[in-house]
Amino acid sequence: MHRGVLMNSTRNSRLIVFLLLSAVLLSPLFARGTTESDDSSKNILLTDHYGRKIALDTPPATVVSLSPGITETMFALGYGDRLTGRTEYCDFPPEAARIASLGTLQEPNIEAIVAVHPDLVIASTHFPEEALARLDAAGQKVAVLMGQESFQGTYDGVIRPLALLLGDIPAGESLIAGMETERKNAAAKAAGFPRKPSVYYVVGFGEGGDWTAGGDTFIGEMIRQAGGRNIADDVRGWSFSIEALVDRDPDVILIPAWADGMFQTAPIYKDLRAVRERRVRVIDENIIVRQGPRLAEGYADLVDAIGSIF
Amino acid sequence: MTRRAETLRNSGTVIGGLVILSFTILLAISFGSVHIPMSSILSILAGNKHGISESWLLILWKIRLPRILAAVMVGGVLATGGVSCQGLFRNPLSEPYLLGISSGASLGATIAIVSLSTSGGAGLGAVGLSALIGALVVTTVVFFAAGRTAFRLPSTLLLSGIAIAFLCQAVIWLLMTLNRDQVERISFWTLGSLASAGWSRVVWLAVFTLPTTILLSVMGHIIDVLSTGYDSAHGLGLRPQRAAAIVLGLTALGTAAAVAVAGSVGFIGLMVPHVARFMGGPSHRPLMIRSWIGGAILLVLADLAARTVNPPGEIPVGIVTALFGAPFLLILARGKKGEGRLDG
């Protein structure tokens, strides 16, 4: 609530100082006031992914995000302005670039995080336990939010708990509702495919060998849900071969942006049916694998790419 | 042993080796991540394309066969490189990679991968070409860094090679840190693979590695003399400095071409010469030929394993050579303890 007041008061610097001061001075009163009106609990209570209890009197005013998915979700929920730190990998939305980077996913800069001293650090996948221990030791409040690799996991493991922590459950529900609409539309489109096109997903190719997303990966699962038949469904993990690719000659090939142009002109690959028939599509893997608000968009992109053969 | 008997024995070993190599190649053609029945393979090889699927033809002619021939040449040249380095440096642990060839190639490949990703386009060959240039440039730097005593005191050259290899690795890691989206590609490249070896690369390998291998074999007796030490070589009327420079230059060129195509496939240059020495005398010309055959057989087999252990996937061939090479070398070293042959 007082966030809106702060945002609309940028015209007069004196007013800002006054409001900031009053916000600081009055925030405990505000907190007390809101919790009094909400008689279920005095605190924000959450059990995070590691089963750690997070208890807050008020929603955090400053947050350091240690995951691109968390950063995206913060912005999507309308609280991007509370971020005081992010990781190197947080490249979406573009506004995220203005937030200070405090290290990488796997190696967050503990000293820098502690120096920023946010009300809450929110981490997700790839967050090293050792970093958690060091932040704990420094007395820094940390919540680790992640779910199973699925839409439901993203809703229940990331978006809902984050909305809860921010004291804005409705924002979370409306974000999820929007994503569900997009997902259902895409799923309906996929269900309408006259047949299941065969799909190959490029992770790497050429000199270093051929790498793809096997049947047991999240991307493999998404391809299945997007109405495609992954030609690497029998692969566990990521390893593939050019012989198998030629043999299984897919209808559609999905490539990362860096491979665009290179893949279509490389020897052998250029003779694949999908390349000759111009059915190679660029897919941004980040959108699919990040547990965040763009998951439905990533899924819809996949459905569109796979359906492009019809 | 009389000279005649030795020649006979050497020819016997070579012929036997070539027969084994031929069988190995046939074996490698017969298996892959895609199963093609033996009858179809035989008719394809016999030139009978009737009733054979297009994709099998493509797999056999354009993927499997060039890849196997590339393995032959890469394995062969890496092994002969090991022979010339071990002979020249009179050190059983020497191999061409110590001259900065693999680290230079990796650095070159990394730079190409990183910079091409931003500019887009550019064919696959660019990474290999950049690796070749990297290997040759870094090797030249290693030679110059070692200074004038490089040939007289091989340890200076080896030390300089190790130092510059560390430097290259540091730059590679730095580039990986700055281009985290390319980390996978760089690591896959460094692990070594023959996956992309098509006919154009086979031609390329043939142009670079076969002449260098033949020249090195021809120079075998010069390496014999050089391996007795530089002063004695000088006493025998050789200009050791120049001879060593030529031998190392040829070795670097051949190895660099191999690494540019296949990545840093390890252990062959180190291991095969020891095995080859075990199977015959220490005279360098026959040793060179035996090593070439041995290296070829070994890499074809390693690549066969890399292609077939985990179908339809593959594992990088560098992992296979290291996995089997390391214990093998240990067994060899233990078996020879006290005999001093590793030093001979």
Side-chain angles (χ1 to χ4, degrees):
Chain A
M1 190 173 64
H2 55 262
R3 181 179 137 262
V5 173
L6 279 176
M7 280 182 69
N8 293 330
S9 58
T10 51
R11 293 192 194 105
N12 188 311
S13 58
R14 273 193 197 170
L15 186 61
I16 290 174
V17 172
F18 170 71
L19 283 175
L20 274 175
L21 269 175
S22 49
V24 170
L25 292 171
L26 296 178
S27 54
L29 298 178
F30 266 112
R32 206 156 291 151
T34 48
T35 45
E36 268 166 19
S37 68
D38 176 9
D39 51 18
S40 63
S41 162
K42 284 191 175 183
N43 295 314
I44 292 170
L45 278 175
L46 178 89
T47 306
D48 80 353
H49 183 75
Y50 289 154
R52 298 146 41 88
K53 302 260 184 283
I54 317 292
L56 298 169
D57 286 327
T58 58
T62 52
V63 173
V64 163
S65 156
L66 294 183
S67 143
I70 298 292
T71 302
E72 290 193 22
T73 311
M74 286 286 290
F75 274 97
L77 292 171
Y79 293 87
D81 57 339
R82 292 202 186 176
L83 287 171
T84 51
R86 61 165 173 100
T87 70
E88 270 302 297
Y89 301 0
C90 299
D91 55 3
F92 192 89
E95 297 93 288
R98 288 203 291 267
I99 300 158
S101 166
L102 304 177
T104 64
L105 256 184
Q106 298 87 352
E107 285 176 63
N109 184 336
I110 306 293
E111 284 186 19
I113 295 167
V114 172
V116 168
H117 196 59
D119 292 344
L120 186 62
V121 172
I122 305 179
S124 186
T125 54
H126 301 97
F127 181 59
E129 286 192 29
E130 166 247 24
L132 179 61
R134 287 176 61 198
L135 284 170
D136 273 342
Q140 179 64 58
K141 244 187 189 111
V142 184
V144 183
L145 307 181
M146 59 177 132
Q148 291 213 310
E149 288 188 318
S150 66
F151 276 97
Q152 207 55 49
T154 303
Y155 299 156
D156 294 339
V158 177
I159 299 177
R160 287 198 169 105
L162 187 52
L164 176 79
L165 285 173
L166 291 166
D168 194 348
I169 290 170
E173 292 310 315
S174 94
L175 177 62
I176 290 170
M179 287 172 70
E180 272 298 283
T181 308
E182 191 169 11
R183 183 188 69 80
K184 280 179 184 153
N185 286 341
K189 193 176 166 190
F193 290 167
R195 65 183 175 87
K196 282 186 186 297
S198 55
V199 179
Y200 180 67
Y201 185 96
V202 175
V203 172
F205 75 100
E207 266 104 348
D210 293 86
W211 303 86
T212 188
D216 61 341
T217 65
F218 177 57
I219 294 169
E221 173 61 28
M222 289 290 268
I223 290 171
R224 243 189 317 275
Q225 286 185 25
R229 186 175 57 78
N230 185 358
I231 64 163
D233 236 354
D234 57 338
V235 170
R236 297 182 62 181
W238 307 88
S239 172
F240 208 59
S241 64
I242 191 165
E243 285 195 6
L245 176 55
V246 167
D247 189 49
R248 299 174 185 190
D249 211 15
D251 294 323
V252 186
I253 296 178
L254 308 175
I255 60 171
W258 63 260
D260 197 18
M262 282 200 255
F263 185 87
Q264 295 95 321
T265 52
I268 308 289
Y269 300 95
K270 70 178 193 305
D271 298 324
L272 290 166
R273 191 165 50 88
V275 178
R276 280 188 278 117
E277 295 175 359
R278 299 184 178 280
R279 284 176 187 152
V280 178
R281 298 282 180 277
V282 172
I283 285 288
D284 185 350
E285 186 180 295
N286 283 339
I287 307 184
I288 307 173
V289 299
R290 284 182 190 170
Q291 296 199 327
R294 291 193 293 165
L295 183 59
E297 184 189 330
Y299 171 63
D301 285 351
L302 266 183
V303 172
D304 283 342
I306 293 168
S308 67
I309 82 156
F310 300 117
Chain B
M1 210 189 309
T2 65
R3 202 191 165 93
R4 197 181 140 78
E6 194 182 321
T7 314
L8 247 146
R9 190 188 154 182
N10 279 333
S11 343
T13 320
V14 168
I15 292 167
L18 286 175
V19 170
I20 296 174
L21 177 60
S22 312
F23 275 110
T24 312
I25 291 174
L26 270 179
L27 188 74
I29 291 175
S30 317
F31 296 96
S33 43
V34 171
H35 174 71
I36 304 178
M38 202 59 206
S39 56
S40 305
I41 291 177
L42 290 176
S43 24
I44 294 172
L45 291 179
N48 177 14
K49 296 176 183 176
H50 190 70
I52 307 282
S53 88
E54 277 290 311
S55 63
W56 283 0
L57 278 173
L58 186 64
I59 288 169
L60 213 62
W61 280 123
K62 290 197 169 172
I63 300 174
R64 216 178 273 178
L65 199 58
R67 178 172 181 165
I68 292 165
L69 293 181
V72 168
M73 285 187 279
V74 169
V77 81
L78 289 179
T80 50
V83 173
S84 55
C85 283
Q86 287 169 16
L88 218 57
F89 298 143
R90 304 182 294 284
N91 181 335
L93 291 177
S94 299
E95 59 153 340
Y97 287 178
L98 290 175
L99 301 174
I101 294 169
S102 66
S103 38
S106 300
L107 180 58
T110 304
I111 290 172
I113 289 171
V114 164
S115 53
L116 292 181
S117 72
T118 45
S119 66
L124 266 173
V127 176
L129 201 64
S130 184
L132 178 71
I133 295 169
L136 294 177
V137 167
V138 168
T139 310
T140 313
V141 171
V142 167
F143 277 101
F144 277 101
R148 296 194 129 260
T149 57
F151 295 112
R152 187 171 297 275
L153 281 170
S155 56
T156 336
L157 193 57
L158 294 181
L159 272 177
S160 146
I162 289 167
I164 287 172
F166 273 109
L167 191 69
C168 290
Q169 193 56 56
V171 178
I172 292 172
W173 281 330
L174 184 67
L175 288 171
M176 284 168 106
T177 312
L178 296 176
N179 299 272
R180 53 183 185 277
D181 50 331
Q182 299 296 335
V183 166
E184 279 184 346
R185 286 185 73 202
I186 296 167
S187 345
F188 290 152
W189 193 92
T190 321
L191 284 172
S193 167
L194 288 156
S196 70
W199 282 111
S200 59
R201 305 208 168 184
V202 169
V203 172
W204 207 53
L205 276 171
V207 168
F208 274 91
T209 68
L210 293 184
T212 51
T213 307
I214 291 166
L215 285 173
L216 280 174
S217 310
V218 170
M219 291 180 77
H221 64 286
I222 296 179
I223 304 177
D224 285 341
V225 176
L226 286 172
S227 65
T228 60
Y230 286 80
D231 292 331
S232 56
H234 199 76
L236 287 166
L238 199 71
R239 290 166 69 181
Q241 199 92 335
R242 211 171 77 179
I246 294 171
V247 168
L248 282 182
L250 287 171
T251 303
L253 191 63
T255 313
V259 173
V261 167
S264 310
V265 178
F267 271 100
I268 289 185
L270 184 63
M271 186 171 70
V272 174
H274 292 296
V275 183
R277 221 171 272 127
F278 203 61
M279 306 187 68
S283 169
H284 279 88
R285 184 180 295 176
L287 180 61
M288 201 70 88
I289 298 167
R290 279 201 304 275
S291 293
W292 189 88
I293 298 170
I297 293 172
L298 194 69
L299 193 56
V300 171
L301 284 177
D303 187 51
L304 175 63
R307 288 187 290 128
T308 50
V309 288
N310 182 31
E314 293 183 0
I315 54 176
V317 70
I319 294 179
V320 181
T321 55
L323 220 52
F324 290 97
F328 188 80
L329 195 66
L330 281 175
I331 292 167
L332 202 71
R334 283 186 69 89
K336 288 186 166 190
K337 210 188 291 180
E339 285 181 43
R341 282 189 70 174
L342 265 182
D343 303 311

